[in-house]
């Protein structure tokens, strides 16, 4: 665990990405830690970030293990001149990285939601059965988060990773936007276009809107379609049990809980 | 399926004066291809075309989704710097490309042009007329132009070519680095423009500053 650190005390860092809210660096040292340094204009609520960092300590051990294995949960705050300017987190494990066109590339969910293109023809894609098992992993992750009062908020197909190495596995990035039910997030989040709950107010996620987004993840993953929504006519594309869950996902206030998807995903043919 | 599409045209000087730097520029364009081509969301919403010009102008990479091609053609140097040829070919290409996208049912956004030159036009008497046709207010497909000048480019000319933004490399910056920064600015523009906004639209996003370049004041109307 990293705790609070001063920016000046971090070893020379190499930039690996420039995101919407900050620049991500690999910190020198044996830890394999990443630093996310927020852009100047981003307002960070240091107290909420501290609360988020401490949160998993209060989870039951199996939940804590799942969160540690499947998320880049922030593990330290970074200060500069008395201000919180960034966070530390673990880097996504190598099984969530592949090589495309000779360069490393995170295995983002988006690859599974678009038709295969020549540029990523080398990518090993999951079978229908593996898609179903990946969906189970995403549902399990949401189940554990929701069970501990955590909302994901902004779900995007760039921040959810997948792997087939040593069995289907998933990993979530950009966890600083997660929030405790009823509290504000440490940093304000945007809603990703195409992943917005039509019944929710922008930037104000609820348990129901999070469940809607999980339904999008599951349906889009199973159907390999980035645009499908629960209100589309899915008859013939899903088996009856999943169809019924999709139907509930279309009705605000009645969205299936994460756990509801698990039995339906257990053995179905898509 | 009908899509929203934002086309990018990259129009690069490949006159002899670029000989020492063209490899760096080609590398930068390969980086762009890798970044955009392996991002399904962005590749889906944007299209890319590469035009090289010297004495004449040619389409080196016809308009495509960068995920659909596994390599893009290199720029190759030859004599002269005809801005007129570049603007004429650009207008014809845009007209044809957008027509094709629209007849396929797509919603096409105003094309964005990244124009790069390292020298002075060798057709000073004729290029302005070709330019005027390209930006003619009566032509509904007239593109937004972001102009970059490096090396011997003339600041006044670059300012005049840019319709939304213009950048001139600073003296201290070598051409190799300048081209690297150009390619980075282009990549970041394509990647950030390729994501639909919360309102459901595509918006052309251009970096306000490019390291090593001075942003020139472009006429506003
Ligand atoms: N834990 C991580 N492991 C590997 N790469 C990461 C990690 N966190 C972030 N990144 C990289 O940095 C980019 C931006 O990070 P993200 O947290 O999504 O920032 P932002 O909110 O600014 O978009 C990601 O798209 C990814 O490429």
């Amino acid at each position: 665990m990293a705790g609070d650190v001063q920016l000046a005390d971090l070893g020379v860092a190499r930039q690996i990405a420039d995101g919407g809210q900050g620049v991500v660096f690999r910190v020198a040292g044996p830890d394999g830690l990443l630093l996310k340094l927020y852009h100047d204009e981003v307002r960070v609520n240091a107290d909420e970030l501290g609360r988020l960092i401490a949160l998993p300590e209060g989870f039951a051990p199996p939940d804590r293990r799942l969160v540690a294995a499947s998320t880049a949960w922030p593990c330290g705050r970074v200060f500069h001149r008395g201000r919180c300017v960034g966070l530390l987190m673990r880097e996504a494990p190598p099984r969530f990285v592949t090589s495309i066109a000779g360069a490393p590339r995170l295995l983002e969910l988006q690859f599974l939601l678009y038709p295969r293109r020549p540029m990523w023809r080398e990518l090993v894609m999951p079978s229908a059965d593996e898609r179903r098992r990946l969906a189970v992993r995403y549902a399990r992750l949401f189940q554990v988060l929701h069970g501990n009062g955590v909302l994901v908020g902004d779900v995007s197909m760039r921040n959810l990773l997948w792997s087939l190495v040593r069995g289907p596995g998933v990993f979530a990035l950009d966890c600083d936007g997660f929030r405790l039910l009823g509290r504000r997030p440490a940093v304000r989040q945007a809603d990703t276009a195409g992943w917005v709950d039509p019944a929710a107010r922008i930037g104000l996620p609820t348990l129901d809107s999070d469940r809607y987004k999980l339904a999008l993840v599951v349906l889009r993953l199973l159907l390999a379609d980035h645009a499908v929504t629960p209100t589309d006519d899915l008859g013939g594309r899903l088996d009856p049990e999943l169809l019924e869950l999709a139907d509930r996902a279309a009705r605000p206030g009645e969205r299936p809980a994460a756990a509801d998807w698990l039995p339906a995903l257990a053995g179905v043919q898509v | 399926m009908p899509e929203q599409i934002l086309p990018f045209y990259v129009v690069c000087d490949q006159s002899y004066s670029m000989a020492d730097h063209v490899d760096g520029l080609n590398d930068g364009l390969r980086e762009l291809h890798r970044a955009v081509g392996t991002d399904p969301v962005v590749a889906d919403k944007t299209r890319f075309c590469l035009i090289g010009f010297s004495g004449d102008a040619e389409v080196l990479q016809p308009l495509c989704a960068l995920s659909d091609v596994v390599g893009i053609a290199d720029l190759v140097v030859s004599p002269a710097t005809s801005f007129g040829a570049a603007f004429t070919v650009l207008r014809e290409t845009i007209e044809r490309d957008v027509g094709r996208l629209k007849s396929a049912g797509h919603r096409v956004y105003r094309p964005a042009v990244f124009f790069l030159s390292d020298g002075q036009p060798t057709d000073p008497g004729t290029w302005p007329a070709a330019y005027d046709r390209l930006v003619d207010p009566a032509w509904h497909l007239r593109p937004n132009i972001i102009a970059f000048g490096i090396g011997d480019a003339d600041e006044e000319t670059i300012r005049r070519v840019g319709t939304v933004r213009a950048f001139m490399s600073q003296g201290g910056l070598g051409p190799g680095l300048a081209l690297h920064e150009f390619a980075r600015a282009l990549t970041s523009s394509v990647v950030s423009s390729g994501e639909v906004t919360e309102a459901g639209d595509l918006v052309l996003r251009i970096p306000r500053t490019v390291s090593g370049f001075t942003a020139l004041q472009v006429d506003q109307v």
Side-chain angles (χ1 to χ4, degrees):
Chain A
M1 276 296 118
D4 288 351
V5 296
Q6 296 296 321
L7 185 58
D9 293 337
L10 291 172
V12 185
R14 200 166 66 79
Q15 179 174 333
I16 61 166
D18 190 351
Q21 294 194 306
V23 182
V24 177
F25 298 90
R26 200 170 279 141
V27 177
D31 285 327
L33 275 185
L34 298 185
L35 158 69
K36 176 159 157 183
L37 197 58
Y38 292 109
H39 295 312
D40 283 339
E41 71 277 9
V42 175
R43 295 248 293 279
V44 187
N45 184 327
D47 290 340
E48 287 300 337
L49 186 56
R51 196 167 280 124
L52 187 70
I53 289 171
L55 204 58
E57 287 163 30
F59 294 177
D63 288 4
R64 195 161 62 225
R65 276 195 298 274
L66 188 136
V67 161
S70 323
T71 72
W73 202 279
C75 57
R77 299 183 296 184
V78 179
F79 287 87
H80 185 59
R81 301 203 175 113
R83 220 163 51 89
C84 180
V85 294
L87 60 78
L88 296 171
M89 63 182 156
R90 73 177 289 206
E91 182 162 8
R95 62 192 282 241
F96 296 101
V97 183
T98 189
S99 165
I100 299 181
R105 187 76 179 82
L106 289 175
L107 284 166
E108 296 166 357
L109 178 61
Q110 58 168 332
F111 287 109
L112 305 184
L113 311 189
Y114 284 84
R116 183 196 283 276
R117 297 285 185 206
M119 195 55 185
W120 61 88
R121 64 192 160 178
E122 343 156 40
L123 194 61
V124 179
M125 297 290 261
S127 64
D129 184 58
E130 285 165 328
R131 282 180 184 268
R132 181 181 58 72
R133 287 157 66 200
L134 287 169
V136 168
R137 296 297 170 140
Y138 286 123
R140 278 285 294 143
L141 177 58
F142 274 70
Q143 182 191 17
V144 166
L145 294 173
H146 290 172
N148 289 285
V150 177
L151 293 183
V152 175
D154 180 35
V155 171
S156 110
M157 48 187 157
R158 274 187 235 278
N159 291 337
L160 293 176
L161 309 182
W162 57 277
S163 175
L164 300 175
V165 178
R166 295 193 305 279
V170 301
F171 195 84
L173 306 180
D174 210 5
C175 306
D176 49 353
F178 290 6
R179 71 180 81 193
L180 267 170
L181 254 172
R183 298 198 73 91
R184 283 181 303 168
V187 291
R188 208 196 80 85
Q189 285 181 311
D191 262 325
T192 299
W195 293 78
V196 178
D197 174 4
R201 283 178 44 208
I202 300 272
L204 281 181
T206 61
L207 187 56
D208 202 52
S209 68
D210 246 39
R211 288 172 170 173
Y212 176 79
K213 293 184 183 192
L214 173 62
L216 293 181
V217 170
V218 171
L219 296 175
R220 291 174 177 183
L221 176 54
L222 294 181
L223 299 171
D225 179 346
H226 70 276
V228 75
T229 73
T231 46
D232 295 342
D233 179 10
L234 300 173
R237 296 175 74 187
L238 290 173
D239 86 316
E241 217 178 330
L242 283 168
L243 209 52
E244 200 218 298
L245 289 167
D247 199 47
R248 276 171 55 197
R251 298 197 297 269
E254 293 176 41
R255 275 77 183 251
D260 295 345
W261 291 96
L262 297 174
L265 288 167
V268 299
Q269 301 295 310
V270 181
Chain B
M1 201 170 67
E3 293 277 5
Q4 296 158 285
I5 286 173
L6 175 54
F8 283 84
Y9 290 84
V10 178
V11 181
C12 288
D13 192 335
Q14 50 180 359
S15 60
Y16 274 147
S17 55
M18 287 285 287
D20 291 341
H21 326 299
V22 78
D23 287 348
L25 182 53
N26 285 325
D27 282 348
L29 293 174
R30 270 191 286 274
E31 275 299 313
L32 162 85
H33 176 218
R34 184 150 57 201
V36 176
T38 66
D39 193 312
V41 174
V42 175
D44 195 52
K45 295 278 177 253
T46 57
R47 296 291 182 274
F48 174 87
C49 170
L50 177 63
I51 294 176
F53 69 97
S54 45
D56 52 17
E58 55 179 331
V59 175
L60 295 170
Q61 173 60 58
L63 194 75
C64 66
L66 281 172
S67 53
D68 282 341
V69 294
V70 290
I72 48 180
D74 281 342
L75 296 156
V76 184
V77 295
S78 48
T81 308
S82 170
F83 278 27
F87 297 141
T88 302
V89 167
L90 181 57
R91 176 170 165 146
E92 287 164 4
T93 310
I94 289 176
E95 185 107 56
R96 196 170 48 236
D97 289 346
V98 175
R100 207 173 284 148
L101 289 171
K102 285 195 163 177
S103 57
H106 297 303
R107 261 175 66 199
V108 185
Y109 287 76
R110 186 171 302 288
V113 172
F114 275 70
F115 178 90
L116 171 84
S117 175
D118 76 331
Q120 318 231 353
T122 48
D123 54 350
T126 50
W127 75 262
Y131 179 76
D132 289 344
R133 279 193 298 279
L134 178 66
V135 297
D136 182 357
W139 184 44
H140 67 296
L141 303 181
R142 68 187 175 283
N144 290 314
I145 304 176
I146 304 101
F148 286 77
I150 67 167
D152 293 333
D154 171 51
E155 182 171 320
E156 209 31 61
T157 308
I158 293 300
R159 184 202 316 275
R160 192 165 152 196
V161 171
T163 64
V164 288
R165 223 156 278 178
F167 297 95
M168 194 64 209
S169 76
Q170 291 153 3
L173 189 68
L177 268 180
L179 290 170
H180 182 77
E181 290 302 333
F182 163 76
R184 261 177 47 130
L186 168 62
T187 304
S188 122
S189 173
V190 178
V191 169
S192 56
S193 306
E195 194 132 25
V196 177
T197 63
E198 284 179 22
D201 267 315
L202 291 175
V203 175
L204 173 62
R205 297 184 197 280
I206 314 157
R208 296 218 153 265
T209 57
V210 178
S211 133
F213 283 78
T214 305
L216 308 177
Q217 193 64 47
V218 169
D219 282 349
Q220 306 267 318
V221 285

